[in-house]
Amino acid sequence: AITAGGTTDIIATGNDVTLGNTGNDFGTFKITAAKATVNDKNAIVLGDSTITGDFTLTAGGAVTDSGVIEVDGTTSITAKNAAGTTFYDVKLDNSGNDFAIISAAADNITLTDKNDITLDSLTAAAGTVDVTSGGKIHGVAGPTNITANTINLTADTGIDPLATSAADITAFTTSSAIDIANNYTGATTASLTVSADPGDIIFAQTGGALDVTSATTSDGEINISVAGANLTVAEAEAKGAGNNVT
C-alpha cells in the first residue's frame, strides 16, 4: 500500500497506471497517463489530471477536485466504504473539467464539464445529482442514466434523450431541446421544473403521479405525459408562432 499525505504527481504519458491496492491512502492526486486505475481507502482530492483512455477510481471517502480533470475515455467512480454500507459525496465541479462518458456511485454527485458530457449511470444513494455542462448532456442508451432523489441539470446546448429515476427534477438549457424519460415509483408525487431557451421540451414519466411546477420555452413545443397516474400542471408556456402544449 502507498501512503502519501501530501501531493502525488504521476507522469506516465502514453502508459497505463494501476494503483489497485485497497490500502492506498493519497492526499491530493495528480496523474497523466493513457489509462488509470486508482484505489484509495479514504477521501481523495484530484488535482490537474490528463488521461487519454479510461479512468477508474474507487475511494473509501469523498472525491473532490482541486484542479482540471480531462478524461478522453470512460470515467468510473465509486465512493463508498469497504463494506458497501456507506456512500460518500463526489464533487468534481471545476469549470475546466472535460469528461467523455462518466459513471458514478456515491451519496451526492456534482459534476461540471466545459463542453458535452455523456452520462452512463449516475447513482446517488437517496441523494442529489447536479450536472452542469457547457455543451450538451447526453445519455447512454439502455441504462437508467441518473438514479437519485433530486436531479438538477443545466446545459448550454440541450439535454438529449436521458433516462432518469427521481422524485424531483429541474432542467434548464440556454439553447436546444430537452428530452427526459423518468421512471418514478415512489409513494410521493414527483415534481418537475423545466425551461428551454429556446427548444422543444419532451418529458415522459411512468410509474407515478407528477406535478409540473413550471415548463417554459421561448420558442418550441412542450409535450409532457404521465402513464397510468395523475398529471398536475401549474404553469406551461410554449412561446413562438404555432407552438403547442400537449
Side-chain angles (χ1 to χ4, degrees), residues 1-6 8 23-27 41:
I2 303 168
T3 300
T8 300
N24 292 338
D25 191 4
F26 301 104
K41 68 177 183 180

Side-chain angles (χ1 to χ4, degrees), residues 1-2 19-25 38-42 58-60 82:
I2 303 168
L19 301 173
N21 191 299
T22 57
N24 292 338
D25 191 4
V38 179
N39 281 4
D40 191 299
K41 68 177 183 180
N42 293 311
T58 303

Side-chain angles (χ1 to χ4, degrees), residues 84-213:
T85 56
T86 303
F87 286 84
Y88 306 97
D89 290 350
V90 170
K91 187 175 184 180
L92 304 176
D93 60 351
N94 190 297
S95 60
N97 288 340
D98 191 5
F99 302 103
I101 302 172
I102 188 165
S103 295
D107 196 20
N108 300 288
I109 300 170
T110 301
L111 301 174
T112 300
D113 193 292
K114 69 178 182 180
N115 45 40
D116 293 359
I117 186 171
T118 298
L119 309 181
D120 187 351
S121 176
L122 303 181
T123 302
T128 300
V129 170
D130 291 281
V131 181
T132 302
S133 169
K136 283 189 177 184
I137 298 175
H138 304 275
V140 172
T144 299
N145 305 126
I146 306 176
T147 302
N149 185 63
T150 301
I151 296 173
N152 299 307
L153 305 172
T154 303
D156 281 359
T157 57
I159 298 171
D160 279 351
L162 198 66
T164 62
S165 179
D168 185 2
I169 296 177
T170 301
F172 296 102
T173 67
T174 53
S175 67
S176 198
I178 296 173
D179 188 347
I180 298 173
N182 189 48
N183 180 20
Y184 173 67
T185 57
T188 60
T189 299
S191 64
L192 173 68
T193 301
V194 62
S195 175
D197 188 20
D200 295 340
I201 295 172
I202 301 171
F203 186 89
Q205 179 164 300
T206 58
L210 176 67
D211 283 346
V212 179
T213 304

Side-chain angles (χ1 to χ4, degrees), residues 8 27-36 38 44-57 62-77 89-104 109-117 132:
T8 300
T28 298
F29 187 84
K30 302 179 180 181
I31 187 168
T32 300
K35 180 181 178 181
V38 179
I44 188 171
V45 179
L46 300 177
D48 290 336
S49 297
T50 301
I51 300 166
T52 55
D54 296 339
F55 178 39
T56 301
L57 172 63
V63 178
T64 56
D65 61 12
S66 62
V68 173
I69 305 165
E70 297 178 283
V71 183
D72 294 340
T74 297
T75 301
S76 301
I77 298 173
D89 290 350
V90 170
K91 187 175 184 180
L92 304 176
D93 60 351
N94 190 297
S95 60
N97 288 340
D98 191 5
F99 302 103
I101 302 172
I102 188 165
S103 295
I109 300 170
T110 301
L111 301 174
T112 300
D113 193 292
K114 69 178 182 180
N115 45 40
D116 293 359
I117 186 171
T132 302

